[in-house]
Amino acid sequence: MKFLFIVQGEGRGHMTQAIALSQKLESWGHTVSAVCIGKSARRQIPAFVHQNIAAPIYLYDSPNFVTDEKQKSILLWKTFTYNLGQINKYQKSLRIIDEQVNKYQPDVILNFYDILGGLYKLLYKHTGEFWTIGHQYLIEHPEFPFAPNQTLAKWLFKLNTNLTAIGASKKLALSFRNFTSSSNKNLYILPPLLRREVKDLQPKNDDFFLCYMVNPGYGQDVINFATANPNIEIVAFWDHKSMPDGYKPVPNLIFHQVNDRLFLEKMASCKGLVSTAGFESICEAMYMGKPVMMVPVAGQYEQACNAMDAEISGAGIQSTDFDFRKLIEYIDQKATEALDSKTWFDQFDSLFLKIIAENDKPPLNSSSVRRVKKSKAFGILSS
C-alpha cells in the first residue's frame, strides 16, 4: 500500500510519530510516498525530521497557537482570530497538499492531527482511504479523562479534533494504556508509536534531570529554579531560535536546541523527566522506566488531559510549576517500584498490521483522485 502523511508541525510529537511509522511501513514492504508537514513562524522543522524520513517532504503553512508575550500561555481567542485572518494562506496550503495527492496517488492519506488534513478531506475528493492517528482521538472513548472545570476549552478541543478527522474511515487512537474495546467501529486503540531508536537504548540513572518545554517562555522558570537549587543538575531542551545551542545560564543548567538523538540519549540516562505535557515525550519516558512530572502549557486543554491520563496510567505526577523537588519527592516515595509499560507498548506492530490487513488492496489508478467543485468556504477552484 502507498501512504501519504499529513503532519502537524507543532512541537515534536507528531513528527517523531511520522518518523516511527514511516520506518515501520517501509520495513513491512509498504511505501510512504510523501510527507506534508504544516509549519508556522513560531516553529522550525527540526533537522532530525529531514534526516530520518526517506520520503520527499513538503512544507505548507498550517494553523498554530498564539502565545502570550512571554511565550508561555496559549491565548485561545487570539489563536482563533489570527488563524481566521490567514485563510488565503491556508487555501494555498490545501492546494500544495492536493498537488502531492494527485502526484503520488496514495492508497491511504494518514493525518497526524493537522486541521488542514481534515479540511482537505472535506473540500477535495479522494476515493482512497483517509485515516487519522494521534492520542487525541481517545476522546471518543467513554473512559477518556477530560480535565474538569474548563467547559469552553473542552468544547474547542473536541471541535478541533473532530475537524482533523472529517470523513476519516479509521481513527487510530494512541494510548498510554490499554483501554477496553469501544462500540465505535471506526476507533482503534493502539499503543504509543515509538521509534526503534527508543527501544534500542539501554536505560541507566545518572545524577541529573531532563527537562523539555514546548514553549521557550518556560525557560526562565527553569533558570530561576536552577539558580535557587545549585545542587540539582538539569539538562533542558527547548525550541528557542534566538539562543545558542549549549546555553548555560548557571553551572547546573544547560539548554540545548531540539536535537532528537541527544534528547533520547539524555532520556535514557536521566533520573527523571520534567516536561510540558506532550504525549510523545511522556511515552518515551514511560518505556524507559523514567518517572515524569508534567507541567501542562497554560491555556492548552489537550495537555491538561494528557497530564491526567498519564498520571492515571502511572507515568508520574502533575504540577503547575517547574519545581523539580516535587519529582524528587515522588521518586523517593516510589522507591523501587517500577512502571512496566513495555508489554502494552510492544504490541503496536501486531495491532497496526491487523488494521492494514483489513484494507490491503491493489493500488488505485490515477482516476481515483480528482478535485471537487468550487468551495464557498475557501474559494478553491476546481480543475
Side-chain angles (χ1 to χ4, degrees):
M1 293 175 68
K2 290 197 301 181
F3 288 78
L4 182 143
F5 290 177
I6 300 175
V7 186
Q8 184 201 121
E10 170 77 9
R12 62 185 282 273
H14 300 287
M15 290 182 285
T16 56
Q17 290 168 8
I19 291 171
L21 191 54
S22 67
Q23 294 171 345
K24 290 178 182 297
L25 287 169
E26 294 289 344
S27 71
W28 297 332
H30 300 281
T31 302
V32 179
S33 300
V35 178
C36 301
I37 302 179
K39 64 180 179 66
S40 73
R42 271 185 79 226
R43 300 279 182 235
Q44 55 184 355
I45 305 302
F48 73 82
V49 176
H50 297 274
Q51 294 164 359
N52 288 282
I53 292 181
I57 294 176
Y58 301 90
L59 303 181
Y60 59 90
D61 291 304
S62 182
N64 212 307
F65 290 115
V66 175
T67 63
D68 61 8
E69 293 181 357
K70 295 181 179 180
Q71 298 190 61
K72 293 172 67 174
S73 300
I74 300 299
L75 304 177
L76 291 178
W77 179 247
K78 285 192 175 181
T79 294
F80 173 76
T81 56
Y82 170 79
N83 286 301
L84 191 62
Q86 304 298 308
I87 291 297
N88 291 336
K89 185 183 292 186
Y90 301 148
Q91 175 185 351
K92 180 179 178 181
S93 295
L94 289 169
R95 288 198 295 266
I96 291 173
I97 294 171
D98 188 53
E99 288 171 4
Q100 310 323 316
V101 171
N102 280 286
K103 178 179 179 180
Y104 292 103
Q105 301 289 311
D107 299 303
V108 177
I109 296 175
L110 184 54
N111 184 23
F112 291 75
Y113 203 67
D114 195 304
I115 192 171
L116 291 188
L119 292 177
Y120 178 80
K121 176 61 177 177
L122 174 67
L123 301 173
Y124 289 74
K125 184 67 175 179
H126 172 248
T127 56
E129 295 281 327
F130 178 70
W131 302 355
T132 58
I133 186 168
H135 178 60
Q136 296 86 349
Y137 302 107
L138 272 179
I139 66 171
E140 296 192 13
H141 195 284
E143 296 177 22
F144 182 77
F146 287 102
N149 305 321
Q150 300 184 57
T151 304
L152 177 59
K154 176 181 176 180
W155 181 82
L156 290 172
F157 173 44
K158 294 175 73 173
L159 174 63
N160 186 77
T161 300
N162 290 335
L163 288 175
T164 67
I166 295 173
S169 57
K170 297 193 185 309
K171 300 174 185 178
L172 312 182
L174 305 178
S175 176
F176 295 121
R177 62 191 187 280
N178 193 359
F179 277 63
T180 59
S181 59
S182 169
S183 59
N184 184 341
K185 300 301 182 183
N186 292 337
L187 185 68
Y188 295 76
I189 310 299
L190 295 174
L193 180 49
L194 299 180
R195 292 159 295 155
R196 55 176 174 252
E197 292 88 348
V198 175
K199 298 186 176 184
D200 290 343
L201 289 167
Q202 297 299 318
K204 59 180 181 178
N205 283 325
D206 289 341
D207 193 22
F208 74 92
F209 288 92
L210 181 63
C211 181
Y212 174 70
M213 61 207 74
V214 66
N215 290 339
Y218 289 107
Q220 189 58 52
D221 295 351
V222 178
I223 292 172
N224 293 342
F225 177 85
T227 302
N229 297 270
N231 61 319
I232 299 177
E233 295 286 333
I234 302 170
V235 177
F237 286 79
W238 61 0
D239 181 11
H240 201 322
K241 293 181 286 188
S242 64
M243 298 299 290
D245 191 33
Y247 171 57
K248 200 164 186 176
V250 291
N252 59 319
L253 170 63
I254 186 170
F255 283 95
H256 295 287
Q257 296 291 338
V258 176
N259 178 319
D260 207 48
R261 184 173 296 277
L262 181 60
F263 179 79
L264 291 180
E265 290 174 0
K266 296 298 183 182
M267 175 79 82
S269 58
C270 70
K271 294 172 66 175
L273 171 68
V274 174
S275 175
T276 46
F279 178 75
E280 195 70 12
S281 297
I282 298 171
C283 292
E284 291 165 348
M286 290 175 69
Y287 192 81
M288 296 185 202
K290 305 294 182 178
V292 186
M293 184 174 81
M294 296 151 285
V295 186
V297 172
Q300 193 164 348
Y301 181 76
E302 174 191 334
Q303 290 212 354
C305 296
N306 282 353
M308 284 186 60
D309 195 14
E311 189 171 50
I312 294 170
S313 302
I317 57 173
Q318 302 181 56
S319 176
T320 57
D321 56 38
F322 285 82
D323 184 347
F324 289 67
R325 293 169 299 184
K326 297 177 183 177
L327 182 58
I328 294 172
E329 181 180 353
Y330 171 79
I331 293 172
D332 290 342
Q333 290 174 349
K334 299 291 282 188
T336 58
E337 184 180 342
L339 174 67
D340 180 16
S341 300
K342 291 187 177 182
T343 302
W344 167 238
F345 283 29
D346 285 340
Q347 294 181 49
F348 180 90
D349 290 11
S350 60
L351 292 174
F352 193 88
L353 284 169
K354 288 181 180 179
I355 295 171
I356 287 181
E358 293 177 4
N359 289 271
D360 206 0
K361 56 188 178 181
L364 301 172
N365 59 40
S366 59
S367 64
S368 65
V369 181
R370 64 181 186 274
R371 300 282 292 276
V372 294
K373 295 181 179 181
K374 183 176 180 181
S375 162
K376 294 181 180 179
F378 288 89
I380 300 169
L381 299 178
S382 61
S383 59

